[in-house]
Amino acid sequence: FTLAEVLITLGIIGVVAAMTMPTLIQNYRNTVLHNQFKKGYSNLSKAFLMLKEELGTSDIRTNYATWDAANKVYPNSQELYNAFYKIIGTRQKVGHYKIYNYTKDEFWTSNCGTGCPQPLYLLEDGSSINMFLNSSSIYFDVDTNGPYKGPNRYGFDVFTFEVGSNDAIVPKKMTRLYTDEELENETWPMLSGVPCSIKSSQQANGIGCSYYALNDINPDDNTKTYWKNLPW
């Protein structure tokens, strides 16, 4: 081979590499996030089974998420929190940090109030989690790689689960996609329909992505997979 031929060949290889490298990197990132999600979901499910055994009940929602309207409290909530965080193995509280929604608009930030659903407690493996009670239901927010690794986005590495009527961990799922006009008449437009779609402009977009992530179904096109089509 002449020097010119070698240089031309190297040039062609460089162009092809430049074209394919971003796709390879993105596919790798998606695979890592998928594996972290499966691990986080598995850890939460196991911890919840241990929690039921620890508390000696098969109906956690009734015993620990029943609202006392007269005193405006969940009477047994502290016992529930203490038992869960002991079982899951929290290391420390990390506080509020910035999390983005599914379409990368800002969602919760470090200055939001105590009612923000955020994965506030750091675990041994670097992930973080938070359990909170609302509307007589028990919810979990999980950041599968924790606050110190990106992308810190709902539907990517941050997911919401709840305790279902069967007293088991259930992934949140979008119930309906609202238009901007329809949202104007909603009491809680940010959360209406539990959004998870590239078509949604809602601030809480991504809250309803856990079901699609678990079943690897794209919320906007069920002929595509979830993890290979994340809207980076």
Side-chain angles (χ1 to χ4, degrees):
F1 296 101
T2 65
L3 179 60
E5 290 172 330
V6 171
L7 292 176
I8 291 173
T9 302
L10 290 176
I12 293 173
I13 292 174
V15 171
V16 172
M19 293 173 61
T20 59
M21 191 60 68
T23 300
L24 293 175
I25 292 174
Q26 183 170 305
N27 288 340
Y28 172 76
R29 294 174 70 185
N30 292 350
T31 299
V32 169
L33 290 174
H34 189 187
N35 290 334
Q36 290 172 339
F37 170 82
K38 289 189 289 187
K39 180 182 178 182
Y41 175 69
S42 175
N43 289 342
L44 174 59
S45 298
K46 291 176 183 177
F48 186 71
L49 291 175
M50 295 172 65
L51 178 65
K52 294 170 72 172
E53 184 176 346
E54 172 76 15
L55 297 175
T57 178
S58 59
D59 192 353
I60 284 185
R61 285 185 65 182
T62 299
N63 293 317
Y64 292 93
T66 299
W67 178 249
D68 181 350
N71 297 299
K72 298 182 179 181
V73 295
Y74 291 100
N76 302 315
S77 60
Q78 197 57 54
E79 179 186 3
L80 177 68
Y81 290 136
N82 291 342
F84 175 74
Y85 288 126
K86 177 183 177 181
I87 289 169
I88 199 72
T90 54
R91 289 174 51 196
Q92 65 188 60
K93 188 173 182 179
V94 297
H96 295 287
Y97 56 97
K98 184 176 290 185
I99 291 179
Y100 296 91
N101 66 8
Y102 188 59
T103 47
K104 208 176 181 179
D105 301 313
E106 189 172 307
F107 187 25
W108 303 125
T109 63
S110 59
N111 62 357
C112 67
T114 56
C116 291
Q118 271 214 329
L120 302 176
Y121 293 89
L122 194 66
L123 306 184
E124 291 291 338
D125 63 0
S127 63
S128 54
I129 195 168
N130 186 39
M131 177 174 65
F132 60 99
L133 304 181
N134 186 39
S135 300
S136 295
S137 294
I138 304 172
Y139 296 93
F140 302 90
D141 261 30
V142 178
D143 188 333
T144 60
N145 58 13
Y148 307 119
K149 292 183 179 180
N152 289 346
R153 286 173 66 178
Y154 274 93
F156 284 68
D157 56 344
V158 183
F159 298 90
T160 301
F161 303 88
E162 68 175 313
V163 178
S165 57
N166 59 347
D167 216 51
I169 298 296
V170 177
K172 293 295 291 180
K173 180 184 179 181
M174 179 172 62
T175 59
R176 177 186 168 187
L177 180 62
Y178 282 80
T179 65
D180 291 341
E181 292 75 16
E182 291 172 331
L183 289 172
E184 294 177 0
N185 300 316
E186 290 294 306
T187 304
W188 297 100
M190 179 178 68
L191 294 165
S192 296
V194 198
C196 176
S197 173
I198 58 173
K199 302 173 185 177
S200 173
S201 61
Q202 293 165 263
Q203 188 180 11
N205 189 15
I207 289 290
C209 285
S210 303
Y211 168 86
Y212 302 97
L214 181 62
N215 294 282
D216 202 16
I217 301 172
N218 187 285
D220 294 295
D221 184 350
N222 59 17
T223 65
K224 297 181 179 180
T225 61
Y226 183 88
W227 291 101
K228 290 184 178 180
N229 295 279
L230 289 173
W232 287 99

